[in-house]
Amino acid sequence: MYRWTVPTEQPTSLAIARMGAWEVDVATMKVSWSDELYRILGYDPGVDAAASEAFFARVHPDDQIRVRATSDRGIASGVAEQVEYRVLRPDGSVRHVIMDAALLFDAAGRLQRAVGTVLDITEARETAHQLRRTAELLAHAQRIANVGSFEVEVGTEQLYWSAQLFVILDVDVDQRPAIATFLDRIHPDDRPLVAGVADRALATGATEPTRARVVHRDGSVRHVDMAGVAVHDPGGRLVAIRGTITDITELVRLEAQFHHSQKMEAIGLLAGGLAHDFNNLLAIILGNVELELAARPSAELR
């Protein structure tokens, strides 16, 4: 017969890992819980007795049927299944847990004990949720600002792009990012400049703000601003270049409109000034003519 005993004191490693342990003796139906499992379930080890029904009573009502069905399948098949569910405590707080179990049989194949662990993953789940939320917010911000981000590993030249950079460069999302693919999207007249900036950055870590044009597959041209920073390891070795590429096409169009408006305003001011000066000269000429005519005898005018 295989035996497994829950220690009376919770090992530090299990407490740190937020993992509780349990054991069920099938012959006597005696149930044992570790102190950490009491904490996870919201019971008091000095007051509450460990019991199967007490264990299932803490399973969230929406998960009850699924968890019991998983337990029944394991007993019927002899193979326990991992199950993730929620624990609902008396104070209303909810913990997310993963339960693993093992079924122990004697030489005759009779089930003797069931042992298992319950891992509290609430904090890890909340952290993962926050990371997903942060990633979603960043993706939305990049779409709104039309900014893409990238990282190039020095040495391997492995390249990583954000989702928005695929849009800015007009590259299919299932295409693997590569420096050659990036340079292929740069306008031929700007390609030597951009390639030189990239080479110097990967060789020395020196980054230079660069403005260039991107040509989409339909022939349309977009204007982009590129900026980067060097990333070093703790030893000071250059390991990567990270940066952003911003689509500034609309800004360039507005700048062109502004400059055109300034030009037209200057032309208007010049034309107005010339007209004013011409009017002044014309007034002087007409005035002199009137004076000349007034000074002549009327007979000379016949």
Side-chain angles (χ1 to χ4, degrees):
M1 179 185 299
Y2 297 96
R3 295 187 61 84
W4 180 87
T5 305
V6 178
T8 56
E9 294 186 1
Q10 180 71 24
T12 302
S13 59
L14 293 183
I16 294 174
R18 298 182 180 275
M19 179 180 289
W22 55 267
E23 174 187 8
V24 179
D25 187 314
V26 175
T28 63
M29 292 307 296
K30 180 181 178 181
V31 178
S32 300
W33 292 346
S34 68
D35 288 343
E36 183 63 14
L37 184 55
Y38 272 97
R39 184 199 67 79
I40 293 173
L41 298 177
Y43 285 115
D44 184 347
V47 175
D48 301 306
S52 294
E53 283 308 309
F55 179 89
F56 283 107
R58 286 290 189 262
V59 177
H60 193 285
D62 293 343
D63 299 337
Q64 283 268 357
I65 295 176
R66 179 169 56 85
V67 175
R68 286 185 180 274
T70 301
S71 177
D72 292 342
R73 281 197 306 272
I75 294 174
S77 66
V79 179
E81 304 174 29
Q82 184 184 84
V83 59
E84 181 175 343
Y85 62 95
R86 290 164 295 174
V87 168
L88 179 60
R89 290 173 170 174
D91 61 4
S93 62
V94 175
R95 308 299 294 180
H96 295 266
V97 302
I98 295 177
M99 182 170 66
D100 278 299
L103 303 177
L104 306 180
F105 299 86
D106 62 15
R110 292 184 294 267
L111 179 62
Q112 297 297 304
R113 296 185 184 279
V115 298
T117 59
V118 176
L119 177 64
D120 188 338
I121 60 169
T122 306
E123 281 72 25
R125 189 183 179 93
E126 290 176 352
T127 299
H129 173 73
Q130 289 299 325
L131 289 174
R132 286 195 300 271
R133 183 63 174 166
T134 300
E136 290 173 0
L137 291 174
L138 178 59
H140 287 149
Q142 289 199 354
R143 282 196 294 271
I144 293 169
N146 213 355
V147 177
S149 56
F150 66 88
E151 179 181 90
V152 186
E153 292 182 354
V154 174
T156 65
E157 294 191 357
Q158 180 69 47
L159 183 59
Y160 303 90
W161 288 349
S162 68
Q164 190 60 24
L165 193 50
F166 283 90
V167 176
I168 293 173
L169 298 177
D170 188 28
V171 174
D172 293 331
V173 293
D174 58 352
Q175 185 172 344
R176 184 175 181 178
I179 293 178
T181 304
F182 165 70
L183 291 176
D184 185 57
R185 282 287 179 266
I186 301 298
H187 192 286
D189 294 343
D190 300 339
R191 199 170 295 155
L193 169 66
V194 175
V197 170
D199 289 342
R200 287 190 293 275
L202 291 172
T204 66
T207 58
E208 308 165 38
T210 308
R211 179 168 293 189
R213 290 163 292 176
V214 170
V215 182
H216 284 190
R217 285 172 287 187
D218 62 3
S220 61
V221 176
R222 310 293 295 179
H223 297 264
V224 298
D225 270 348
M226 293 172 279
V229 294
V231 180
H232 300 84
D233 65 14
R237 182 175 62 90
L238 178 66
V239 294
I241 300 294
R242 293 174 182 164
T244 59
I245 296 179
T246 306
D247 188 328
I248 59 166
T249 305
E250 184 63 17
L251 176 61
V252 170
R253 185 185 68 81
L254 292 174
E255 286 178 346
Q257 285 184 346
F258 176 71
H259 293 317
H260 179 71
S261 298
Q262 283 188 317
K263 180 179 178 181
M264 295 306 296
E265 182 181 358
I267 292 174
L269 291 173
L270 177 61
L274 290 175
H276 179 72
D277 292 342
F278 179 76
N279 286 335
N280 289 340
L281 290 173
L282 184 61
I284 294 172
I285 293 171
L286 291 175
N288 289 333
V289 169
E290 290 177 357
L291 290 174
E292 180 66 23
L293 292 175
R296 292 182 181 182
S298 58
E300 292 182 7
L301 299 177
R302 293 194 182 100

